[in-house]
Amino acid sequence: MANYVFGVDVGGTTVKMGLFDANGNVIDKWEIPTRTEDGGKKILPDIAESIQAKMGEKKIVTEEVAGVGVGVPGPVDGNGIVHKAVNLGWGQFDLKKELTGLLHGMRVEGGNDANVAALGEMWKGGGQGYQNLVAVTLGTGVGGGIIINGEIMTGSTGAGGEIGHIHVEDHETESCGCGNFGCLEEYASATGITRLANRALQASDKDSVLRNGEVSAKTVFDAVKAGDELAIEVARKFGEYLGKGLGIIAGIINPEIFVIGGGVSKAGEVLFDYIKPPFEKTVFQGCKDTVFALATLGNDAGIYGAAKMVLD
C-alpha cells in the first residue's frame, strides 16, 4: 500500500525536498545543492539519489511510495514535458520519463514551480477551503499560479499564470527582464517597489526616512507603517498597479481568492490597504467579492504542492 509521497521543489541554487504521508503530513524535509553546470545534467540524478537515500534511511520500499512530484522554474505542460528552464540550463525534455527511469519505474508528476506552489497553498496554506484561486508571489519578480476547480491551469505549453508580465504601463522606458516594457513585475515585485521608491525620492524634496539608509521593499513598508508620507505615496503607486493587474485577472479567471506570498508579503495585511481600493475600482462587478489572503506556507509551498500533484 502507498503510504508515502515525495515533493520536490527545484530552485536555481537548492532543491527542496519533502517526504509526506498520504494525508499530507510532512515526515521529513531537507535540501541538496542544485548543480546547474553542464546543462543541468546532474540535477535529476542527484534528486533520484537523494530520494533513494531517504527511502533507505526510513526503511521505505518502492511499493509504499505513491510517487514523486516535482516543481520546476520554467514552463511544464500537462504531460510533464519541460519547455525550457533557463536557470537550470534545461531545454525541452520529458521530465516524467527521465526521472521515472532514474527511480526504477516510480511514478513522477511535474509542474511549473509557481503553479505547484499555488496548489500547495490551496491544499495546506492560505487558500485552504477554496477550489478556485490565484496565488501571487511578490519576490524578486512577480510569479503566479492559477487553480481552477482544484486543478492547475497550465496552458498549452505550461506558461499559464505568468501574471507578472501583464502590461500595466504604456510609458515605461526601462525594460522588464522579459524584454517588454511596463510589465506588472516592474512595479509590484521587491525590485519594482525599490524602483518606484528611488524614482519618488528623485522627483520630490519631501522628507522621508527612506533618504537615511537602504531602500528596499521592506524599508518602504516599514516606513509606511510609521506614517512616512513619501513611503505611503510609493505604496499607493504599487497598489494601483497591482490592484489593476489583479482586477484584469479576476475578470478573466473569476477566482474565489487571491493568495499573496513571496518576500514582499512579509509586510502583512497592510498590503491589502493599498491593493484593494484600486482593485475594487477597476474590477468587473461580478468579481468584486474576491477574497484576499496572505500565503502561509512560505518556502515550503512548493514541496507541499508537488506532493499534492501525486496524491491527486
Side-chain angles (χ1 to χ4, degrees), residues 142 161-168 176-180 182-186:
V142 173
E162 285 292 346
I163 66 175
H165 302 289
I166 290 173
H167 181 81
V168 293
C176 176
C178 75
N180 289 339
C183 292
L184 179 60
E185 185 168 292
E186 292 190 79

Side-chain angles (χ1 to χ4, degrees), residues 17-265:
M17 308 180 78
L19 171 64
F20 297 81
D21 68 21
N23 295 317
N25 300 306
V26 66
I27 295 167
D28 199 357
K29 57 183 183 176
W30 69 101
E31 295 181 1
I32 60 172
T34 307
R35 295 201 286 167
T36 56
E37 65 270 19
D38 202 18
K41 286 180 183 171
K42 298 183 173 78
I43 298 172
L44 292 185
D46 285 352
I47 290 169
E49 187 181 319
S50 187
I51 286 170
Q52 287 165 333
K54 187 61 65 175
M55 288 170 65
E57 177 194 322
K58 301 288 186 185
K59 298 182 170 52
I60 296 168
V61 296
T62 302
E63 292 73 28
E64 293 179 290
V65 180
V68 178
V70 185
V72 172
V76 184
D77 68 24
N79 297 313
I81 308 293
V82 175
H83 287 265
K84 212 174 212 184
V86 179
N87 294 350
L88 306 180
W90 287 352
Q92 183 168 326
F93 77 102
D94 191 332
L95 170 69
K96 287 172 72 167
K97 183 179 177 183
E98 291 212 16
L99 190 53
T100 293
L102 291 166
L103 289 168
H104 312 299
M106 203 178 285
R107 180 181 161 210
V108 172
E109 298 294 335
N112 166 266
D113 57 355
N115 290 337
V116 169
L119 193 64
E121 287 291 345
M122 180 199 80
W123 185 37
K124 295 287 185 181
Q128 277 188 83
Y130 297 94
Q131 289 286 295
N132 295 280
L133 67 87
V134 176
V136 183
T137 306
L138 306 177
T140 309
V142 173
I146 298 170
I147 309 292
I148 297 174
N149 296 329
E151 296 186 5
I152 292 171
M153 191 209 79
T154 59
S156 58
T157 62
E162 285 292 346
I163 66 175
H165 302 289
I166 290 173
H167 181 81
V168 293
E169 175 57 73
D170 289 339
H171 304 291
E172 183 55 63
T173 55
E174 289 183 49
S175 70
C176 176
C178 75
N180 289 339
F181 292 81
C183 292
L184 179 60
E185 185 168 292
E186 292 190 79
Y187 315 103
S189 63
T191 46
I193 294 165
T194 303
R195 178 189 285 111
L196 289 177
N198 284 326
R199 287 178 178 178
L201 288 164
Q202 286 165 14
S204 164
D205 294 328
K206 202 172 270 184
D207 281 344
S208 172
V209 296
L210 298 175
R211 297 189 189 279
N212 304 331
E214 182 197 358
V215 178
S216 67
K218 182 184 186 303
T219 59
V220 166
F221 277 99
D222 285 347
V224 166
K225 291 170 186 175
D228 186 282
E229 279 186 38
L230 190 130
I232 288 168
E233 285 174 20
V234 173
R236 202 167 281 135
K237 197 81 176 162
F238 149 85
E240 282 172 12
Y241 284 119
L242 186 52
K244 178 182 174 183
L246 297 184
I248 292 166
I249 294 161
I252 299 165
I253 304 296
N254 189 21
E256 297 166 276
I257 185 171
F258 284 107
V259 180
I260 312 290
V264 174
S265 73

